[in-house]
Amino acid sequence: KDSDAMSHHLLERRQTEGWSGDVVMIHADLGARVEWQQTPDYVQNLAQRKGVPLNVVRWTHGDLIDRIWQRYYADPSRPCWPSSKVRYCTSDLKRAPISRWIRNTYSTGKVVCAIGLRAKESHARAKKPTVSVRDDCTAPTLNRLTLNWLPIHEWSEANVWDCIRTHGNLAHPAYRLERPNQRLSCALCVLASLNDLLNGAVHNPDTYRELCRVEAVTGYS
């Protein structure tokens, strides 16, 4: 919902304020066994509705479940799951593939990577600066400067839904369930609420069973 609202907001500002430069959407796909089944089509539909090219990037060594197994077999003595302190799901499978795409696409110039993170989601996100240098995509010798920008950092959840309603009132199917998701990430995110985990298990049973198998084999919950 936050990425949707950010897209609506920025594209509207671009039109009214006359911003120049190319605009694209980037989606980091964590794999069919991990994402909500509807997510790929939903993201594609959002890009089409907004008239913006969509680029889907992926980790080059499998999906998030492969990454969990890889960490377990590399060192069975340590917990293999992502956590709030070890968010390799974000660093390895989201941030790194997006940065690789930026470096390969923009050899020089200024790039602004807008991200739909809000301060009220967590204490860690509240501490993030609204604008920062994306170091792994910045190369002074190539005259390439890349910035991370959090344009809706100060928005409330009510602001997000107001924006979505203003722009067609379409949202991911997980937000339209009888007990709608509070947030949306992986189908069964390790940081999700109980409500969202139950939704994820009911509507993505194969993913739920596979994650239970990982718990049974590794001994880590």
Side-chain angles (χ1 to χ4, degrees):
K1 65 183 186 298
D2 297 332
S3 296
D4 283 18
M6 180 194 73
S7 299
H8 297 319
H9 173 65
L10 291 186
L11 290 171
E12 184 177 54
R13 287 187 61 185
R14 182 173 189 260
Q15 184 175 18
T16 58
E17 299 177 21
W19 295 355
S20 61
D22 296 334
V23 175
V24 301
M25 289 184 180
I26 306 179
H27 171 60
D29 188 334
L30 275 64
R33 295 189 296 174
V34 178
E35 300 272 12
W36 276 80
Q37 297 174 14
Q38 301 93 336
T39 294
D41 287 343
Y42 179 79
V43 172
Q44 183 67 53
N45 179 263
L46 174 65
Q48 290 174 349
R49 284 191 282 126
K50 306 308 293 184
V52 175
L54 172 66
N55 299 273
V56 179
V57 299
R58 298 177 178 86
W59 189 52
T60 56
H61 304 291
D63 62 14
L64 177 56
I65 293 176
D66 292 322
R67 186 72 180 98
I68 293 170
W69 284 118
Q70 182 188 81
R71 284 180 61 87
Y72 173 68
Y73 287 118
D75 184 359
S77 68
R78 68 179 180 184
C80 53
W81 296 95
S83 66
S84 58
K85 293 183 178 180
V86 187
R87 293 190 64 168
Y88 65 83
C89 49
T90 298
S91 61
D92 294 359
L93 282 86
K94 293 184 180 180
R95 189 164 57 242
I98 289 173
S99 292
R100 183 177 65 246
W101 184 90
I102 291 173
R103 291 192 300 269
N104 291 341
T105 304
Y106 301 105
S107 57
T108 188
K110 295 182 177 67
V111 182
V112 178
C113 186
I115 307 169
L117 298 185
R118 295 185 300 110
K120 294 185 178 181
E121 291 181 287
S122 68
H123 292 298
R125 292 188 172 186
K127 295 178 182 178
K128 287 184 176 294
T130 304
V131 178
S132 60
V133 175
R134 194 177 183 103
D135 291 324
D136 61 356
C137 298
T138 294
T141 57
L142 299 176
N143 194 31
R144 183 179 64 219
L145 171 64
T146 305
L147 300 176
N148 287 331
W149 180 32
L150 312 182
I152 64 167
H153 193 236
E154 300 305 317
W155 283 27
S156 67
E157 186 173 348
N159 294 147
V160 168
W161 286 115
D162 285 345
C163 181
I164 289 173
R165 280 190 289 270
T166 300
H167 292 85
N169 202 26
L170 296 176
H172 190 284
Y175 291 121
R176 301 198 299 268
L177 299 173
E178 182 178 355
R179 294 186 177 181
N181 264 44
Q182 296 162 324
R183 296 177 63 183
L184 180 73
S185 184
C186 300
L188 289 107
C189 174
V190 294
L191 303 177
S193 66
L194 178 58
N195 175 79
D196 293 1
L197 288 172
L198 289 170
N199 282 342
V202 168
H203 295 278
N204 303 271
D206 291 342
T207 299
Y208 174 67
R209 282 190 286 268
E210 179 63 18
L211 295 181
C212 287
R213 189 173 77 87
V214 175
E215 288 186 320
V217 172
T218 67
Y220 293 108
S221 64

